[in-house]
Amino acid sequence: MLSPLHHQPIFAFLSKTYPCPSASSPLLPAPCPPASSNAQCPMPHAQCPMPHAQCPMPNAPCPITNFMNDLKSLRADLQRRKLVNGLFAIVGLSVILVAIIVLISLILQLVLQGTERISPDFFLNFPSRKPEKAGILSAWVGSSLVMLVTMLAAVPLGVAAGIYLEEYARKNLISDLIEINVTNLAGVPSIVYGLLALGLFIYQFSLGQSILTAGLTLALLILPVVIVTTREALRAIPGHLREAAYALGASKWQMIWDHILPYSFGSILTGIIIGLSRAIGETAPVITIGALAYIGFLPDSPFVEGFPFIPFQGEFPFLNFGKLFAWIQAPFTVMPIQMFNWVSRPEPEFQVNAAAAGTVLICMTLAMNGLAIYLRYYFRKGIKW
């Protein structure tokens, strides 16, 4: 027969009193003593369930009392934790709202100040000493060419390194050290990459202050981001897809190329575009390697007039590589450098030009991030596993 304790809700202990447990209760292993004992029950208002029997431990608290105290302490602790969590949520939300409001205010001020200067001539004119005629042609062309070199250098190397570290490398001390260093490189200040490029690409390899040097410098900057993103994208693929590919006789590379990469392509591409959107706004590395503040010309075009527009020549290798790749050795400037040049001038008209260039740069960055979000959604909407 069960004790009355087993028929009551657990929170009823807070407001009710119950008799001491019976001999069969698991809370009290020892049975009640005979009626001749002089022991007294520790609960003065409770009666033992057996007639003429008294509780066996006169000086010990009843287990029900211990349970009630523990339950009260637990409820008080839960209330305290809920209060702390609520306060932390309020503080965190307040900090985020303040940061967002300040950021939106600065962007709106920049856009309102520079919108009046944005026009087709602003994109098609070179920088000038006259603020009303100054434009960003050399700056946005230089930024585009530098981003092209950065993408061509960082994407294949970063994706290949991520695939090797995640799928081929053995899990040992060397791979752990490589993983730690790659993760740490993602947080190194950008000026360090500029100093590295200055000593390696300019002084050691004699590449000069060119678009190639700038592209390789920013490729080093985003390379850890591409590697980490690739590894995380590959790691997110369920293991049963790999097992299914192996079960059908696929080799390791066939499994990666035909099954793993198509499913992870959206996440990898998102990380690449976010890395490029970070690189397009970097100033310290390109200043360190000697980006020019004023350029009144464009790099040599790799194309020629007339069909097929490719610079051929009459002797082997029949393709004029000097003409085709002359632009990568040209001096350059980028959007942040042009903005810095205009901000440093005292005329207020140049401040408006700098605000207009900042608006264009923000739009380029937002467009790249929006493209990353769209591509991630596009490639993930058909994935089912």
Side-chain angles (χ1 to χ4, degrees), residues 46-115:
Q47 299 295 329
C48 287
M50 299 178 62
H52 308 291
Q54 295 168 335
C55 287
M57 295 181 293
N59 298 322
C62 186
I64 299 176
T65 306
N66 290 337
F67 180 77
M68 292 170 60
N69 295 333
D70 293 341
L71 191 57
K72 290 180 180 179
S73 301
L74 179 61
R75 294 186 66 181
D77 186 63
L78 289 176
Q79 294 293 333
R80 182 183 60 83
R81 290 174 180 268
K82 289 180 179 180
L83 179 61
V84 173
N85 290 339
L87 292 176
F88 182 79
I90 293 174
V91 172
L93 183 60
S94 302
V95 172
I96 293 175
L97 289 177
V98 170
I100 292 176
I101 292 173
V102 172
L103 179 61
I104 293 177
S105 301
L106 294 176
I107 293 177
L108 287 178
Q109 181 183 4
L110 187 70
V111 172
L112 294 176
Q113 184 180 1
T115 303

Side-chain angles (χ1 to χ4, degrees), residues 232-286:
E232 293 296 331
L234 297 176
R235 197 175 299 166
I237 305 301
H240 62 77
L241 289 180
R242 296 176 173 84
E243 297 172 358
Y246 287 138
L248 295 176
S251 63
K252 192 177 187 65
W253 174 245
Q254 289 174 335
M255 178 268 295
I256 295 173
W257 181 260
D258 296 329
H259 301 277
I260 303 302
L261 283 180
Y263 282 109
S264 59
F265 182 73
S267 299
I268 294 175
L269 192 60
T270 300
I272 292 172
I273 296 177
I274 291 176
L276 292 175
S277 64
R278 174 195 174 186
I280 197 174
E282 287 292 341
T283 307
V286 292

Side-chain angles (χ1 to χ4, degrees), residues 31-375:
C32 290
S36 58
S37 175
N38 294 324
Q40 298 294 327
C41 182
M43 298 181 64
H45 301 291
Q47 299 295 329
C48 287
M50 299 178 62
H52 308 291
Q54 295 168 335
C55 287
M57 295 181 293
N59 298 322
C62 186
I64 299 176
T65 306
N66 290 337
F67 180 77
M68 292 170 60
N69 295 333
D70 293 341
L71 191 57
K72 290 180 180 179
S73 301
L74 179 61
R75 294 186 66 181
D77 186 63
L78 289 176
Q79 294 293 333
R80 182 183 60 83
R81 290 174 180 268
K82 289 180 179 180
L83 179 61
V84 173
N85 290 339
L87 292 176
F88 182 79
I90 293 174
V91 172
L93 183 60
S94 302
V95 172
I96 293 175
L97 289 177
V98 170
I100 292 176
I101 292 173
V102 172
L103 179 61
I104 293 177
S105 301
L106 294 176
I107 293 177
L108 287 178
Q109 181 183 4
L110 187 70
V111 172
L112 294 176
Q113 184 180 1
T115 303
E116 62 183 49
R117 187 65 182 85
I118 297 177
S119 64
D121 293 337
F122 187 69
F123 290 92
L124 299 177
N125 290 346
F126 288 103
S128 174
R129 291 177 295 178
K130 299 180 179 180
E132 64 276 4
K133 295 183 178 180
I136 58 171
L137 178 59
S138 58
W140 73 260
V141 170
S143 293
S144 301
L145 294 178
V146 169
M147 287 299 102
L148 177 61
V149 176
T150 300
M151 182 179 63
L152 294 177
V155 172
L157 185 60
V159 173
I163 293 174
Y164 174 78
L165 291 174
E166 188 64 28
E167 300 291 339
Y168 288 95
R170 296 181 179 180
K171 306 303 179 183
N172 51 27
L173 180 60
I174 296 178
S175 62
D176 291 340
L177 290 177
I178 293 175
E179 181 176 357
I180 293 173
N181 282 277
V182 168
T183 305
N184 291 336
L185 285 175
V188 172
S190 58
I191 186 65
V192 177
Y193 291 97
L195 296 173
L196 173 63
L198 181 64
L200 183 63
F201 297 138
I202 295 181
Y203 293 149
Q204 186 68 29
F205 295 155
S206 300
L207 297 180
Q209 300 168 351
S210 60
I211 294 175
L212 178 61
T213 302
L216 294 178
T217 303
L218 296 181
L220 292 177
L221 177 67
I222 70 170
L223 189 61
V225 179
V226 177
I227 294 175
V228 173
T229 302
T230 302
R231 295 193 63 185
E232 293 296 331
L234 297 176
R235 197 175 299 166
I237 305 301
H240 62 77
L241 289 180
R242 296 176 173 84
E243 297 172 358
Y246 287 138
L248 295 176
S251 63
K252 192 177 187 65
W253 174 245
Q254 289 174 335
M255 178 268 295
I256 295 173
W257 181 260
D258 296 329
H259 301 277
I260 303 302
L261 283 180
Y263 282 109
S264 59
F265 182 73
S267 299
I268 294 175
L269 192 60
T270 300
I272 292 172
I273 296 177
I274 291 176
L276 292 175
S277 64
R278 174 195 174 186
I280 197 174
E282 287 292 341
T283 307
V286 292
I287 287 180
T288 307
I289 62 176
L292 300 180
Y294 173 82
I295 290 183
F297 57 89
L298 293 179
D300 295 334
S301 173
F303 305 106
V304 296
E305 296 182 358
F307 184 80
F309 309 107
I310 299 176
F312 288 106
Q313 58 186 10
E315 56 185 10
F316 184 81
F318 308 109
L319 188 63
N320 191 348
F321 288 100
K323 173 68 174 177
L324 190 61
F325 296 105
W327 58 273
I328 65 175
Q329 294 295 333
F332 71 99
T333 188
V334 290
M335 294 284 292
I337 301 297
Q338 187 62 66
M339 291 174 57
F340 173 76
N341 183 25
W342 282 337
V343 169
S344 61
R345 293 177 178 267
E347 295 86 348
E349 291 81 3
F350 282 112
Q351 309 297 323
V352 176
N353 288 352
T359 302
V360 174
L361 185 60
I362 290 176
C363 291
M364 294 173 65
T365 305
L366 292 178
M368 295 178 69
N369 284 272
L371 179 62
I373 295 173
Y374 170 76
L375 292 175

